[in-house]
Amino acid sequence: MGGRQVSEARRLLTGALDDRPDAELPTAAHETVAELGTPARLGALLRELAAGAGDPAGCARLSYRHVLGFDKLLLFDGGSRHMLRAHVWHPHGQHLAPEDIHNHRSPLASQVVRGSLGMELYEEVPDGTAREHGPDGGGRETVRYEESLADAGDWLLTERGRARLRLTHVARYAAGSGYALAPHALHRAWCTADEPTVTLFLEAGAHRRPHTDVFSAPGPRRAPATAKHPLPVADYLSELTALARLVDG
């Protein structure tokens, strides 16, 4: 089932992303979320989805509180081709934990619809470089994990040793701005506003990596598995209604 907003969004996603060379996907995804992520257009789309358009049962099964600390609501599931989600980031102090540095399985783009988001980019420091540059230039020590998904969909973390990461870029994205990243780009993001921040997030591309890399501060070993708790359909639709009101301002 689909209304006008849902049908137009599907056409845009398919036309912009399907059969696109991998090298062009970050730019194409960025242009797509910028077009769909205006408050007026996204609010109308959310209200249509909240009324039952699209695939509420399928999307609810993949909507939950993400382990990295934000609420994740799937809007369109394009299978291996693309996934469009709304993320709700909570003000500082309301996160379950600071977001880990990580990369992704496929190219992505994110558009800030409301609020503001901070982001840091990192690069891995080759062995021996830390000694040459000293404690600051050598980056920060982290524990590397390989994150994958169990058949049941839960997060699995496998420790893969230590790594040093160096901060390369810090940015702040206000409403109406966004960014695109290649799959291997290491980053972390957080809400910088005093109110919830809403982003429209798009992963694109049929060639997805089987896992991502997660880098955590040294400390107690992370749990090897974290269960996902998908939203019931009724709760999912209620969350979309509340999100539409938030986007409308």
Side-chain angles (χ1 to χ4, degrees), residues 175-226:
S177 64
Y179 58 87
L181 294 174
H184 291 277
L186 296 176
H187 73 124
R188 66 174 170 184
W190 65 95
C191 177
T192 57
D194 294 329
E195 59 183 3
T197 288
V198 178
T199 60
L200 189 63
F201 184 91
L202 177 60
E203 285 188 312
H207 304 104
R208 297 192 178 189
R209 302 167 59 212
H211 67 271
T212 60
D213 303 297
V214 175
F215 298 84
S216 180
R221 178 171 292 185
R222 304 288 290 273
T226 301

mmCIF file of all heavy atoms in Angstrom, residues 175-226:
data_model
loop_
_atom_site.group_PDB
_atom_site.id
_atom_site.type_symbol
_atom_site.label_atom_id
_atom_site.label_comp_id
_atom_site.label_asym_id
_atom_site.label_seq_id
_atom_site.Cartn_x
_atom_site.Cartn_y
_atom_site.Cartn_z
ATOM 1 N N ALA A 175 20.645 22.079 10.852
ATOM 2 C CA ALA A 175 19.498 21.676 10.047
ATOM 3 C C ALA A 175 19.640 22.219 8.629
ATOM 4 O O ALA A 175 20.010 23.376 8.422
ATOM 5 C CB ALA A 175 18.213 22.186 10.685
ATOM 6 N N GLY A 176 19.374 21.351 7.654
ATOM 7 C CA GLY A 176 19.506 21.731 6.256
ATOM 8 C C GLY A 176 20.834 21.368 5.641
ATOM 9 O O GLY A 176 21.046 21.577 4.439
ATOM 10 N N SER A 177 21.752 20.816 6.447
ATOM 11 C CA SER A 177 23.050 20.387 5.922
ATOM 12 C C SER A 177 23.210 18.887 6.108
ATOM 13 O O SER A 177 22.422 18.241 6.795
ATOM 14 C CB SER A 177 24.191 21.135 6.621
ATOM 15 O OG SER A 177 24.229 20.810 8.004
ATOM 16 N N GLY A 178 24.229 18.323 5.479
ATOM 17 C CA GLY A 178 24.441 16.891 5.591
ATOM 18 C C GLY A 178 25.782 16.482 5.048
ATOM 19 O O GLY A 178 26.615 17.319 4.680
ATOM 20 N N TYR A 179 26.005 15.185 4.978
ATOM 21 C CA TYR A 179 27.288 14.660 4.547
ATOM 22 C C TYR A 179 27.093 13.288 3.912
ATOM 23 O O TYR A 179 26.052 12.644 4.058
ATOM 24 C CB TYR A 179 28.262 14.556 5.729
ATOM 25 C CG TYR A 179 27.772 13.690 6.862
ATOM 26 C CD1 TYR A 179 27.989 12.310 6.868
ATOM 27 C CD2 TYR A 179 27.079 14.246 7.939
ATOM 28 C CE1 TYR A 179 27.534 11.511 7.912
ATOM 29 C CE2 TYR A 179 26.624 13.457 8.985
ATOM 30 C CZ TYR A 179 26.857 12.096 8.967
ATOM 31 O OH TYR A 179 26.398 11.300 9.989
ATOM 32 N N ALA A 180 28.112 12.844 3.195
ATOM 33 C CA ALA A 180 28.151 11.501 2.613
ATOM 34 C C ALA A 180 29.496 10.881 2.936
ATOM 35 O O ALA A 180 30.513 11.582 3.009
ATOM 36 C CB ALA A 180 27.935 11.569 1.102
ATOM 37 N N LEU A 181 29.503 9.555 3.129
ATOM 38 C CA LEU A 181 30.730 8.858 3.486
ATOM 39 C C LEU A 181 30.847 7.552 2.708
ATOM 40 O O LEU A 181 29.846 6.881 2.444
ATOM 41 C CB LEU A 181 30.751 8.526 4.990
ATOM 42 C CG LEU A 181 30.825 9.690 5.973
ATOM 43 C CD1 LEU A 181 30.680 9.174 7.401
ATOM 44 C CD2 LEU A 181 32.122 10.468 5.805
ATOM 45 N N ALA A 182 32.077 7.198 2.391
ATOM 46 C CA ALA A 182 32.353 5.880 1.820
ATOM 47 C C ALA A 182 32.284 4.838 2.927
ATOM 48 O O ALA A 182 32.401 5.173 4.117
ATOM 49 C CB ALA A 182 33.736 5.874 1.173
ATOM 50 N N PRO A 183 32.102 3.564 2.590
ATOM 51 C CA PRO A 183 31.909 2.538 3.627
ATOM 52 C C PRO A 183 33.036 2.449 4.643
ATOM 53 O O PRO A 183 32.779 2.206 5.826
ATOM 54 C CB PRO A 183 31.786 1.237 2.820
ATOM 55 C CG PRO A 183 31.405 1.648 1.454
ATOM 56 C CD PRO A 183 31.984 3.010 1.241
ATOM 57 N N HIS A 184 34.286 2.615 4.215
ATOM 58 C CA HIS A 184 35.419 2.400 5.113
ATOM 59 C C HIS A 184 35.736 3.627 5.977
ATOM 60 O O HIS A 184 36.607 3.543 6.851
ATOM 61 C CB HIS A 184 36.657 1.998 4.320
ATOM 62 C CG HIS A 184 36.557 0.639 3.698
ATOM 63 N ND1 HIS A 184 36.824 -0.524 4.394
ATOM 64 C CD2 HIS A 184 36.195 0.253 2.457
ATOM 65 C CE1 HIS A 184 36.643 -1.568 3.600
ATOM 66 N NE2 HIS A 184 36.262 -1.132 2.420
ATOM 67 N N ALA A 185 35.075 4.758 5.762
ATOM 68 C CA ALA A 185 35.356 5.971 6.529
ATOM 69 C C ALA A 185 35.055 5.753 8.006
ATOM 70 O O ALA A 185 33.972 5.295 8.375
ATOM 71 C CB ALA A 185 34.540 7.135 5.985
ATOM 72 N N LEU A 186 36.012 6.081 8.862
ATOM 73 C CA LEU A 186 35.845 5.941 10.312
ATOM 74 C C LEU A 186 35.315 7.250 10.889
ATOM 75 O O LEU A 186 35.899 8.316 10.672
ATOM 76 C CB LEU A 186 37.177 5.590 10.973
ATOM 77 C CG LEU A 186 37.795 4.246 10.576
ATOM 78 C CD1 LEU A 186 39.162 4.079 11.231
ATOM 79 C CD2 LEU A 186 36.871 3.098 10.961
ATOM 80 N N HIS A 187 34.232 7.172 11.647
ATOM 81 C CA HIS A 187 33.628 8.394 12.183
ATOM 82 C C HIS A 187 32.813 8.069 13.424
ATOM 83 O O HIS A 187 32.572 6.915 13.761
ATOM 84 C CB HIS A 187 32.738 9.049 11.120
ATOM 85 C CG HIS A 187 31.456 8.305 10.869
ATOM 86 N ND1 HIS A 187 30.215 8.874 10.976
ATOM 87 C CD2 HIS A 187 31.217 7.010 10.515
ATOM 88 C CE1 HIS A 187 29.280 7.990 10.699
ATOM 89 N NE2 HIS A 187 29.860 6.857 10.419
ATOM 90 N N ARG A 188 32.384 9.126 14.090
ATOM 91 C CA ARG A 188 31.364 9.012 15.121
ATOM 92 C C ARG A 188 30.605 10.333 15.181
ATOM 93 O O ARG A 188 31.137 11.387 14.832
ATOM 94 C CB ARG A 188 31.944 8.647 16.471
ATOM 95 C CG ARG A 188 32.832 9.664 17.131
ATOM 96 C CD ARG A 188 33.194 9.168 18.521
ATOM 97 N NE ARG A 188 34.234 9.973 19.158
ATOM 98 C CZ ARG A 188 34.755 9.675 20.336
ATOM 99 N NH1 ARG A 188 34.356 8.596 20.981
ATOM 100 N NH2 ARG A 188 35.678 10.434 20.872
ATOM 101 N N ALA A 189 29.347 10.268 15.592
ATOM 102 C CA ALA A 189 28.479 11.443 15.592
ATOM 103 C C ALA A 189 27.735 11.530 16.910
ATOM 104 O O ALA A 189 27.585 10.539 17.634
ATOM 105 C CB ALA A 189 27.502 11.372 14.420
ATOM 106 N N TRP A 190 27.220 12.736 17.213
ATOM 107 C CA TRP A 190 26.472 12.946 18.447
ATOM 108 C C TRP A 190 25.607 14.190 18.287
ATOM 109 O O TRP A 190 25.854 15.044 17.445
ATOM 110 C CB TRP A 190 27.411 13.104 19.640
ATOM 111 C CG TRP A 190 28.281 14.327 19.571
ATOM 112 C CD1 TRP A 190 28.029 15.545 20.146
ATOM 113 C CD2 TRP A 190 29.531 14.459 18.869
ATOM 114 N NE1 TRP A 190 29.048 16.424 19.848
ATOM 115 C CE2 TRP A 190 29.972 15.785 19.066
ATOM 116 C CE3 TRP A 190 30.308 13.586 18.099
ATOM 117 C CZ2 TRP A 190 31.157 16.257 18.514
ATOM 118 C CZ3 TRP A 190 31.484 14.058 17.545
ATOM 119 C CH2 TRP A 190 31.905 15.369 17.760
ATOM 120 N N CYS A 191 24.572 14.256 19.100
ATOM 121 C CA CYS A 191 23.673 15.401 19.102
ATOM 122 C C CYS A 191 24.353 16.582 19.780
ATOM 123 O O CYS A 191 24.866 16.454 20.896
ATOM 124 C CB CYS A 191 22.383 15.035 19.824
ATOM 125 S SG CYS A 191 21.197 16.381 19.993
ATOM 126 N N THR A 192 24.352 17.745 19.129
ATOM 127 C CA THR A 192 24.942 18.949 19.720
ATOM 128 C C THR A 192 23.882 19.982 20.094
ATOM 129 O O THR A 192 24.224 21.083 20.527
ATOM 130 C CB THR A 192 25.956 19.588 18.751
ATOM 131 O OG1 THR A 192 25.301 19.875 17.504
ATOM 132 C CG2 THR A 192 27.129 18.651 18.491
ATOM 133 N N ALA A 193 22.620 19.649 19.915
ATOM 134 C CA ALA A 193 21.535 20.569 20.245
ATOM 135 C C ALA A 193 20.975 20.257 21.632
ATOM 136 O O ALA A 193 21.227 19.194 22.196
ATOM 137 C CB ALA A 193 20.425 20.463 19.196
ATOM 138 N N ASP A 194 20.208 21.197 22.170
ATOM 139 C CA ASP A 194 19.543 20.991 23.459
ATOM 140 C C ASP A 194 18.189 20.315 23.300
ATOM 141 O O ASP A 194 17.450 20.175 24.279
ATOM 142 C CB ASP A 194 19.361 22.332 24.176
ATOM 143 C CG ASP A 194 20.685 22.951 24.576
ATOM 144 O OD1 ASP A 194 21.635 22.181 24.856
ATOM 145 O OD2 ASP A 194 20.785 24.189 24.600
ATOM 146 N N GLU A 195 17.859 19.931 22.091
ATOM 147 C CA GLU A 195 16.610 19.252 21.782
ATOM 148 C C GLU A 195 16.930 18.069 20.880
ATOM 149 O O GLU A 195 18.042 17.977 20.341
ATOM 150 C CB GLU A 195 15.653 20.201 21.068
ATOM 151 C CG GLU A 195 16.244 20.752 19.769
ATOM 152 C CD GLU A 195 15.340 21.761 19.091
ATOM 153 O OE1 GLU A 195 14.270 22.085 19.649
ATOM 154 O OE2 GLU A 195 15.697 22.222 18.000
ATOM 155 N N PRO A 196 16.008 17.139 20.710
ATOM 156 C CA PRO A 196 16.302 15.998 19.832
ATOM 157 C C PRO A 196 16.684 16.453 18.425
ATOM 158 O O PRO A 196 16.136 17.419 17.893
ATOM 159 C CB PRO A 196 14.988 15.218 19.832
ATOM 160 C CG PRO A 196 14.335 15.573 21.120
ATOM 161 C CD PRO A 196 14.688 17.014 21.362
ATOM 162 N N THR A 197 17.639 15.750 17.852
ATOM 163 C CA THR A 197 18.071 15.999 16.480
ATOM 164 C C THR A 197 17.551 14.876 15.587
ATOM 165 O O THR A 197 17.660 13.698 15.939
ATOM 166 C CB THR A 197 19.603 16.082 16.402
ATOM 167 O OG1 THR A 197 20.019 17.321 17.003
ATOM 168 C CG2 THR A 197 20.103 16.029 14.979
ATOM 169 N N VAL A 198 16.985 15.244 14.458
ATOM 170 C CA VAL A 198 16.434 14.280 13.506
ATOM 171 C C VAL A 198 17.286 14.287 12.249
ATOM 172 O O VAL A 198 17.566 15.354 11.677
ATOM 173 C CB VAL A 198 14.976 14.625 13.141
ATOM 174 C CG1 VAL A 198 14.429 13.636 12.109
ATOM 175 C CG2 VAL A 198 14.104 14.641 14.385
ATOM 176 N N THR A 199 17.714 13.106 11.818
ATOM 177 C CA THR A 199 18.452 12.991 10.562
ATOM 178 C C THR A 199 17.774 11.962 9.668
ATOM 179 O O THR A 199 17.180 10.998 10.143
ATOM 180 C CB THR A 199 19.919 12.578 10.796
ATOM 181 O OG1 THR A 199 19.970 11.300 11.458
ATOM 182 C CG2 THR A 199 20.654 13.599 11.640
ATOM 183 N N LEU A 200 17.865 12.206 8.366
ATOM 184 C CA LEU A 200 17.404 11.237 7.374
ATOM 185 C C LEU A 200 18.640 10.542 6.839
ATOM 186 O O LEU A 200 19.560 11.191 6.336
ATOM 187 C CB LEU A 200 16.649 11.947 6.250
ATOM 188 C CG LEU A 200 15.925 11.037 5.258
ATOM 189 C CD1 LEU A 200 14.834 10.222 5.953
ATOM 190 C CD2 LEU A 200 15.318 11.853 4.120
ATOM 191 N N PHE A 201 18.681 9.229 6.959
ATOM 192 C CA PHE A 201 19.899 8.445 6.745
ATOM 193 C C PHE A 201 19.646 7.421 5.646
ATOM 194 O O PHE A 201 18.659 6.687 5.680
ATOM 195 C CB PHE A 201 20.271 7.748 8.056
ATOM 196 C CG PHE A 201 21.558 6.970 8.016
ATOM 197 C CD1 PHE A 201 22.753 7.572 8.364
ATOM 198 C CD2 PHE A 201 21.569 5.636 7.656
ATOM 199 C CE1 PHE A 201 23.943 6.849 8.349
ATOM 200 C CE2 PHE A 201 22.741 4.910 7.629
ATOM 201 C CZ PHE A 201 23.932 5.520 7.979
ATOM 202 N N LEU A 202 20.543 7.370 4.674
ATOM 203 C CA LEU A 202 20.372 6.481 3.520
ATOM 204 C C LEU A 202 21.634 5.667 3.293
ATOM 205 O O LEU A 202 22.721 6.220 3.135
ATOM 206 C CB LEU A 202 20.058 7.304 2.275
ATOM 207 C CG LEU A 202 19.919 6.567 0.943
ATOM 208 C CD1 LEU A 202 18.795 5.537 0.993
ATOM 209 C CD2 LEU A 202 19.696 7.556 -0.191
ATOM 210 N N GLU A 203 21.490 4.337 3.314
ATOM 211 C CA GLU A 203 22.557 3.431 2.896
ATOM 212 C C GLU A 203 22.218 2.924 1.505
ATOM 213 O O GLU A 203 21.063 2.579 1.225
ATOM 214 C CB GLU A 203 22.690 2.260 3.867
ATOM 215 C CG GLU A 203 23.353 2.638 5.173
ATOM 216 C CD GLU A 203 23.649 1.427 6.045
ATOM 217 O OE1 GLU A 203 22.739 0.597 6.226
ATOM 218 O OE2 GLU A 203 24.780 1.323 6.540
ATOM 219 N N ALA A 204 23.217 2.877 0.633
ATOM 220 C CA ALA A 204 22.952 2.536 -0.763
ATOM 221 C C ALA A 204 24.000 1.565 -1.273
ATOM 222 O O ALA A 204 25.131 1.518 -0.784
ATOM 223 C CB ALA A 204 22.955 3.805 -1.621
ATOM 224 N N GLY A 205 23.617 0.780 -2.270
ATOM 225 C CA GLY A 205 24.575 -0.098 -2.932
ATOM 226 C C GLY A 205 24.332 -1.560 -2.667
ATOM 227 O O GLY A 205 24.017 -1.966 -1.547
ATOM 228 N N ALA A 206 24.476 -2.349 -3.709
ATOM 229 C CA ALA A 206 24.236 -3.791 -3.606
ATOM 230 C C ALA A 206 25.439 -4.537 -3.038
ATOM 231 O O ALA A 206 25.306 -5.663 -2.563
ATOM 232 C CB ALA A 206 23.880 -4.354 -4.978
ATOM 233 N N HIS A 207 26.633 -3.936 -3.080
ATOM 234 C CA HIS A 207 27.847 -4.619 -2.630
ATOM 235 C C HIS A 207 28.156 -4.185 -1.202
ATOM 236 O O HIS A 207 28.911 -3.244 -0.965
ATOM 237 C CB HIS A 207 29.013 -4.304 -3.574
ATOM 238 C CG HIS A 207 28.742 -4.650 -5.001
ATOM 239 N ND1 HIS A 207 28.435 -3.691 -5.953
ATOM 240 C CD2 HIS A 207 28.676 -5.845 -5.636
ATOM 241 C CE1 HIS A 207 28.225 -4.287 -7.122
ATOM 242 N NE2 HIS A 207 28.363 -5.582 -6.951
ATOM 243 N N ARG A 208 27.574 -4.887 -0.265
ATOM 244 C CA ARG A 208 27.748 -4.542 1.140
ATOM 245 C C ARG A 208 28.811 -5.417 1.792
ATOM 246 O O ARG A 208 28.894 -6.606 1.518
ATOM 247 C CB ARG A 208 26.422 -4.693 1.892
ATOM 248 C CG ARG A 208 25.349 -3.749 1.379
ATOM 249 C CD ARG A 208 24.163 -3.689 2.300
ATOM 250 N NE ARG A 208 23.189 -2.741 1.811
ATOM 251 C CZ ARG A 208 22.122 -2.345 2.482
ATOM 252 N NH1 ARG A 208 21.903 -2.850 3.684
ATOM 253 N NH2 ARG A 208 21.279 -1.474 1.977
ATOM 254 N N ARG A 209 29.579 -4.792 2.677
ATOM 255 C CA ARG A 209 30.576 -5.549 3.421
ATOM 256 C C ARG A 209 29.882 -6.480 4.410
ATOM 257 O O ARG A 209 28.814 -6.153 4.930
ATOM 258 C CB ARG A 209 31.496 -4.588 4.167
ATOM 259 C CG ARG A 209 32.218 -3.600 3.261
ATOM 260 C CD ARG A 209 32.858 -2.471 4.070
ATOM 261 N NE ARG A 209 33.805 -3.002 5.026
ATOM 262 C CZ ARG A 209 34.050 -2.450 6.205
ATOM 263 N NH1 ARG A 209 33.402 -1.375 6.600
ATOM 264 N NH2 ARG A 209 34.947 -2.981 7.013
ATOM 265 N N PRO A 210 30.479 -7.639 4.722
ATOM 266 C CA PRO A 210 29.838 -8.577 5.654
ATOM 267 C C PRO A 210 29.892 -8.122 7.103
ATOM 268 O O PRO A 210 29.179 -8.669 7.953
ATOM 269 C CB PRO A 210 30.626 -9.865 5.451
ATOM 270 C CG PRO A 210 31.975 -9.414 4.962
ATOM 271 C CD PRO A 210 31.706 -8.198 4.112
ATOM 272 N N HIS A 211 30.740 -7.132 7.413
ATOM 273 C CA HIS A 211 30.849 -6.662 8.785
ATOM 274 C C HIS A 211 31.297 -5.206 8.776
ATOM 275 O O HIS A 211 31.672 -4.655 7.747
ATOM 276 C CB HIS A 211 31.868 -7.506 9.575
ATOM 277 C CG HIS A 211 33.274 -7.315 9.090
ATOM 278 N ND1 HIS A 211 33.820 -8.077 8.092
ATOM 279 C CD2 HIS A 211 34.245 -6.432 9.455
ATOM 280 C CE1 HIS A 211 35.066 -7.682 7.863
ATOM 281 N NE2 HIS A 211 35.350 -6.691 8.679
ATOM 282 N N THR A 212 31.237 -4.591 9.945
ATOM 283 C CA THR A 212 31.821 -3.263 10.125
ATOM 284 C C THR A 212 32.900 -3.345 11.199
ATOM 285 O O THR A 212 32.999 -4.329 11.934
ATOM 286 C CB THR A 212 30.758 -2.241 10.559
ATOM 287 O OG1 THR A 212 30.181 -2.661 11.796
ATOM 288 C CG2 THR A 212 29.665 -2.107 9.510
ATOM 289 N N ASP A 213 33.711 -2.305 11.292
ATOM 290 C CA ASP A 213 34.756 -2.200 12.306
ATOM 291 C C ASP A 213 34.314 -1.191 13.354
ATOM 292 O O ASP A 213 33.858 -0.088 13.019
ATOM 293 C CB ASP A 213 36.075 -1.765 11.683
ATOM 294 C CG ASP A 213 36.517 -2.707 10.578
ATOM 295 O OD1 ASP A 213 36.759 -3.888 10.875
ATOM 296 O OD2 ASP A 213 36.584 -2.266 9.409
ATOM 297 N N VAL A 214 34.431 -1.557 14.610
ATOM 298 C CA VAL A 214 34.039 -0.704 15.723
ATOM 299 C C VAL A 214 35.249 -0.545 16.631
ATOM 300 O O VAL A 214 35.916 -1.536 16.972
ATOM 301 C CB VAL A 214 32.856 -1.314 16.500
ATOM 302 C CG1 VAL A 214 32.533 -0.480 17.733
ATOM 303 C CG2 VAL A 214 31.633 -1.439 15.604
ATOM 304 N N PHE A 215 35.535 0.691 17.035
ATOM 305 C CA PHE A 215 36.697 0.986 17.858
ATOM 306 C C PHE A 215 36.219 1.629 19.154
ATOM 307 O O PHE A 215 35.570 2.675 19.147
ATOM 308 C CB PHE A 215 37.653 1.922 17.128
ATOM 309 C CG PHE A 215 38.207 1.337 15.854
ATOM 310 C CD1 PHE A 215 37.482 1.427 14.671
ATOM 311 C CD2 PHE A 215 39.434 0.690 15.833
ATOM 312 C CE1 PHE A 215 37.978 0.895 13.488
ATOM 313 C CE2 PHE A 215 39.936 0.153 14.658
ATOM 314 C CZ PHE A 215 39.204 0.254 13.486
ATOM 315 N N SER A 216 36.538 1.001 20.262
ATOM 316 C CA SER A 216 36.064 1.433 21.569
ATOM 317 C C SER A 216 37.242 1.798 22.458
ATOM 318 O O SER A 216 38.355 1.271 22.292
ATOM 319 C CB SER A 216 35.249 0.308 22.210
ATOM 320 O OG SER A 216 34.767 0.687 23.471
ATOM 321 N N ALA A 217 37.018 2.672 23.420
ATOM 322 C CA ALA A 217 38.063 3.011 24.386
ATOM 323 C C ALA A 217 38.427 1.783 25.204
ATOM 324 O O ALA A 217 37.562 0.955 25.517
ATOM 325 C CB ALA A 217 37.582 4.126 25.303
ATOM 326 N N PRO A 218 39.707 1.614 25.562
ATOM 327 C CA PRO A 218 40.100 0.462 26.383
ATOM 328 C C PRO A 218 39.330 0.449 27.704
ATOM 329 O O PRO A 218 39.036 1.481 28.281
ATOM 330 C CB PRO A 218 41.593 0.692 26.608
ATOM 331 C CG PRO A 218 42.027 1.560 25.472
ATOM 332 C CD PRO A 218 40.863 2.454 25.190
ATOM 333 N N GLY A 219 38.997 -0.729 28.138
ATOM 334 C CA GLY A 219 38.234 -0.887 29.370
ATOM 335 C C GLY A 219 37.697 -2.291 29.445
ATOM 336 O O GLY A 219 38.245 -3.207 28.819
ATOM 337 N N PRO A 220 36.629 -2.484 30.198
ATOM 338 C CA PRO A 220 36.043 -3.826 30.280
ATOM 339 C C PRO A 220 35.684 -4.341 28.891
ATOM 340 O O PRO A 220 35.231 -3.587 28.029
ATOM 341 C CB PRO A 220 34.783 -3.610 31.138
ATOM 342 C CG PRO A 220 35.072 -2.367 31.916
ATOM 343 C CD PRO A 220 35.907 -1.504 31.017
ATOM 344 N N ARG A 221 35.883 -5.625 28.681
ATOM 345 C CA ARG A 221 35.572 -6.232 27.381
ATOM 346 C C ARG A 221 34.091 -6.084 27.087
ATOM 347 O O ARG A 221 33.246 -6.282 27.961
ATOM 348 C CB ARG A 221 35.984 -7.700 27.378
ATOM 349 C CG ARG A 221 35.661 -8.426 26.082
ATOM 350 C CD ARG A 221 36.278 -9.801 26.047
ATOM 351 N NE ARG A 221 37.727 -9.729 25.973
ATOM 352 C CZ ARG A 221 38.513 -10.803 25.841
ATOM 353 N NH1 ARG A 221 37.978 -12.009 25.781
ATOM 354 N NH2 ARG A 221 39.819 -10.656 25.788
ATOM 355 N N ARG A 222 33.772 -5.728 25.862
ATOM 356 C CA ARG A 222 32.381 -5.557 25.463
ATOM 357 C C ARG A 222 31.676 -6.911 25.369
ATOM 358 O O ARG A 222 32.299 -7.931 25.079
ATOM 359 C CB ARG A 222 32.315 -4.847 24.104
ATOM 360 C CG ARG A 222 33.033 -3.507 24.067
ATOM 361 C CD ARG A 222 32.273 -2.455 24.852
ATOM 362 N NE ARG A 222 31.046 -2.106 24.154
ATOM 363 C CZ ARG A 222 30.980 -1.160 23.213
ATOM 364 N NH1 ARG A 222 32.073 -0.489 22.858
ATOM 365 N NH2 ARG A 222 29.835 -0.891 22.631
ATOM 366 N N ALA A 223 30.387 -6.899 25.610
ATOM 367 C CA ALA A 223 29.599 -8.132 25.493
ATOM 368 C C ALA A 223 29.672 -8.656 24.071
ATOM 369 O O ALA A 223 29.608 -7.878 23.113
ATOM 370 C CB ALA A 223 28.147 -7.864 25.870
ATOM 371 N N PRO A 224 29.841 -9.964 23.880
ATOM 372 C CA PRO A 224 29.975 -10.511 22.528
ATOM 373 C C PRO A 224 28.701 -10.449 21.701
ATOM 374 O O PRO A 224 28.743 -10.565 20.482
ATOM 375 C CB PRO A 224 30.397 -11.963 22.770
ATOM 376 C CG PRO A 224 29.895 -12.279 24.137
ATOM 377 C CD PRO A 224 29.982 -11.001 24.908
ATOM 378 N N ALA A 225 27.566 -10.262 22.351
ATOM 379 C CA ALA A 225 26.295 -10.180 21.624
ATOM 380 C C ALA A 225 25.370 -9.208 22.340
ATOM 381 O O ALA A 225 25.346 -9.141 23.574
ATOM 382 C CB ALA A 225 25.632 -11.552 21.518
ATOM 383 N N THR A 226 24.635 -8.421 21.544
ATOM 384 C CA THR A 226 23.658 -7.490 22.079
ATOM 385 C C THR A 226 22.349 -7.708 21.343
ATOM 386 O O THR A 226 22.304 -7.658 20.110
ATOM 387 C CB THR A 226 24.118 -6.023 21.888
ATOM 388 O OG1 THR A 226 25.378 -5.837 22.546
ATOM 389 C CG2 THR A 226 23.099 -5.060 22.469
#
